[in-house]
Amino acid sequence: MKKIGLLNGPNLDRLGKRETKIYGLKTLSEIEDKVKEKATLCKCIVDCFQSNHEGSLIDKIHEWSDDDYSGLIINPGGLT
């Protein structure tokens, strides 16, 4: 199975808690679970990682690259 990394940037850990009238009630965990569920239909495994620190995000990209992940999806959150 292909491995895909889902990288979530700053403030996305606040989904479902912060400004719910703007961002909704779903938590990041709920969104990640849905992505993983859909990925299995495509015969993929999705590993998720969230950090509020740019260096940690870069370290995770390097780790996934070294582990031969097939792709990377980035939701930059507060980095935009």
Side-chain angles (χ1 to χ4, degrees):
M1 288 187 125
K2 289 184 178 182
K3 294 187 291 185
I4 307 292
L6 174 58
L7 194 68
N8 294 293
N11 301 327
L12 291 172
D13 59 325
R14 306 300 301 155
L15 288 174
K17 302 172 190 168
R18 179 179 159 237
E19 297 182 81
T20 57
K21 289 183 181 179
I22 296 171
Y23 300 111
L25 295 171
K26 286 192 178 177
T27 65
L28 179 58
S29 179
E30 291 171 323
I31 294 167
E32 290 173 341
D33 288 345
K34 189 70 160 181
V35 169
K36 289 177 182 181
E37 179 184 314
K38 296 288 185 181
T40 60
L41 299 174
C42 300
K43 299 186 183 347
C44 292
I45 296 170
V46 173
D47 288 326
C48 304
F49 180 77
Q50 187 280 327
S51 180
N52 294 316
H53 306 281
E54 184 178 3
S56 297
L57 298 170
I58 293 168
D59 289 343
K60 184 55 73 171
I61 292 170
H62 292 174
E63 178 185 321
W64 284 340
S65 177
D66 291 345
D67 288 342
D68 293 324
Y69 275 59
S70 299
L72 171 68
I73 301 167
I74 299 176
N75 184 353
L79 290 178
T80 58

